[in-house]
């Protein structure tokens, strides 16, 4: 029987590999989930797929799992970034969780001209991504980047990466997504909108594609899921 | 200039119409938003489009607005229901908010065989839908129905209404959405999955269409936005 509890670890995973647990992992498995010796846990590390492991030592501050057999191959999400401007803590958490479930490979929080760049806790957001990956059955955890300025990111835009951006003010210029594989990024417009100079920079990017998300105004977390759905169905791993 | 504050009211709206505010509305406009006489508010009631109104009386416990000119026609969302099984309060609130932004016409919380039907506060959820409609620039507030049993709803399924349902266990049977206009409903699978008898009933519905939402497991609120996106782009008001 497949394990119901999934855990993201940093160890290499292979048959017979012993995996030592951190104090937090031991607390979660044995304290919260009430597992004990002989119980099964599914492990993944973002590289070696999903493995069924058995609890061989269960302690209050640690424990050891033993890898038995691979239960799923490593599945990498498409080379897709999600870029968004964090505003409120709860919504930011949601966006990281949803981007992970929806299959983004990198999550990039940005400061824009019209967002008061609340500081972010990169480590806390990364932990949210880990938890979402454990929940959603994926074998990959997207990297959450540190907060950076949108204008810098656009000034150094990587050659060949297409950008789908969602901006109410540019709805008239919106086109459908082109059938263009390769690296992509999705940029969710900040709640205060883009500044004129940001819009100019976006328009000047050769590989930018404005996309409309319906006739109503969506909150950033709703827009992120909607945009990821459009992209994944047309170009990603949902097809 | 267009008003930034939007308010959903129950009054008829027409040129010169005086709109008396409730105590809560007066508190919101004059206490929270700090508006005063002469300021503009956008009003809608789900029937008469959006109207620009001016504050003519501002008090602590009430006030009066005067309707000036219509700023948007009434826009009805497509005849689309969103059916879901509420589990946790916060996620339920999110689903109602998102279904409103995404343009559902009715929101139906259901009890399924495998969900412990936490009671819902229909009035509180309806208030969430109102707030989401005010935020998203729409002119319509979806009706939030009372909690009902899924098997009863399916047993009395309205003739001619198609059902898009999202269920991991039926992914193998999933097809694309047919290009079939008319009334539809989206059913989001509960986190514990459907029971065998619910699956049988779903399979027996002549107009049911299983749809897959990618290779990862989505939380109910993520799945709701993703499913609404697929439907709106193919059959709804996003095209």
């Amino acid at each position: 029987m497949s394990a119901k509890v999934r855990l993201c670890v940093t160890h290499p995973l292979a048959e017979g590999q012993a995996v030592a647990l951190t104090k937090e992992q031991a607390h979660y498995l044995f304290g919260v989930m009430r597992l004990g010796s002989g119980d099964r846990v599914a492990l993944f590390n973002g590289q070696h797929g999903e493995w069924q492991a058995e609890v061989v030592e269960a302690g209050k501050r640690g424990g050891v799992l033993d890898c038995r057999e691979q239960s799923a191959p490593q599945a990498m999400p498409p080379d897709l970034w999600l870029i968004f401007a964090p505003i409120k803590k709860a919504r930011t958490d949601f966006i990281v969780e949803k981007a992970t479930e929806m299959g983004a490979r990198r999550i990039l929080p940005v400061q824009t001209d019209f967002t008061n760049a609340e500081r972010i806790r990169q480590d806390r957001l990364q932990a949210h991504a880990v938890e979402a990956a454990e929940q959603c059955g994926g074998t990959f955890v997207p990297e959450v980047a540190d907060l950076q300025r949108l204008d810098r990111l656009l000034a150094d835009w990587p050659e060949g990466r297409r950008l789908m951006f969602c901006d109410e003010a540019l709805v008239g210029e919106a086109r459908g997504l082109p059938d263009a594989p390769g690296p992509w990024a999705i940029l969710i417009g900040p709640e205060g909108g883009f500044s004129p100079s940001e819009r100019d920079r976006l328009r000047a990017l050769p590989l930018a594609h404005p996309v409309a998300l319906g006739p109503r105004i969506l909150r950033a977390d709703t827009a992120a899921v909607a945009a990821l759905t459009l992209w994944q169905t047309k170009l990603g791993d949902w097809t």
Side-chain angles (χ1 to χ4, degrees), chain A:
Chain A
M1 214 185 91
S2 250
K4 295 224 167 146
V5 178
R6 303 182 84 245
L7 201 64
C8 177
V9 296
T10 52
H11 298 67
L13 297 174
E15 206 182 318
Q17 174 78 43
V19 176
L21 299 172
T22 64
K23 195 176 150 189
E24 290 72 28
Q25 288 167 337
H27 172 73
Y28 172 66
L29 294 185
F30 312 132
V32 181
M33 301 307 292
R34 305 266 164 203
L35 301 186
S37 277
D39 284 334
R40 287 272 171 138
V41 180
L43 302 179
F44 64 101
N45 63 4
Q47 291 186 293
H48 301 131
E50 183 190 75
W51 286 78
Q52 300 296 313
E54 197 178 297
V55 177
V56 290
E57 273 181 51
K60 279 211 168 170
R61 296 176 175 202
V64 177
L65 306 179
D66 186 52
C67 266
R68 295 296 157 88
E69 68 276 338
Q70 199 183 33
S71 43
Q74 181 60 34
M76 296 295 285
D79 187 1
L80 174 65
W81 297 357
L82 182 78
I83 308 169
F84 74 104
I87 304 190
K88 290 178 195 156
K89 187 170 159 297
R91 300 270 167 187
T92 303
D93 292 352
F94 264 100
I95 290 178
V96 168
E97 172 191 301
K98 267 116 192 62
T100 305
E101 290 175 30
M102 297 292 301
R105 194 178 291 190
R106 280 188 83 200
I107 300 172
L108 298 94
V110 292
Q111 260 177 274
T112 66
D113 290 346
F114 292 166
T115 44
N116 270 326
E118 182 184 291
R119 297 183 51 152
I120 60 156
R121 284 272 312 272
Q122 190 277 337
D123 56 339
R124 210 176 49 80
L125 293 180
Q126 187 65 64
H128 268 290
V130 168
E131 204 179 304
E134 288 171 347
Q135 286 255 359
C136 76
T139 51
F140 178 82
V141 180
E143 178 212 340
V144 181
D146 268 326
L147 190 66
Q148 60 189 308
R149 287 204 50 87
L150 176 63
D151 53 5
R152 294 244 181 96
L153 179 65
L154 294 179
D156 288 335
W157 193 252
E159 204 179 328
R161 183 171 296 270
R162 288 173 195 274
L163 178 69
M164 161 178 176
F165 71 98
C166 314
D167 177 14
E168 296 140 36
L170 295 185
V171 160
E173 300 171 32
R175 306 181 294 271
L177 272 183
D179 197 2
W184 272 84
I186 292 172
L187 169 59
I188 301 300
E191 301 205 356
F194 294 110
S195 72
S197 77
E198 284 167 342
R199 288 214 167 90
D200 288 347
R201 224 187 256 277
L202 282 168
R203 281 208 187 83
L205 274 190
L207 297 177
H209 305 267
V211 168
L213 299 175
R216 287 158 297 270
I217 300 163
L218 305 183
R219 283 179 196 262
D221 53 331
T222 316
V225 177
L228 285 160
T229 303
L230 292 181
W231 193 91
Q232 288 286 23
T233 357
K234 172 110 184 183
L235 294 160
D237 63 11
W238 282 34
T239 46

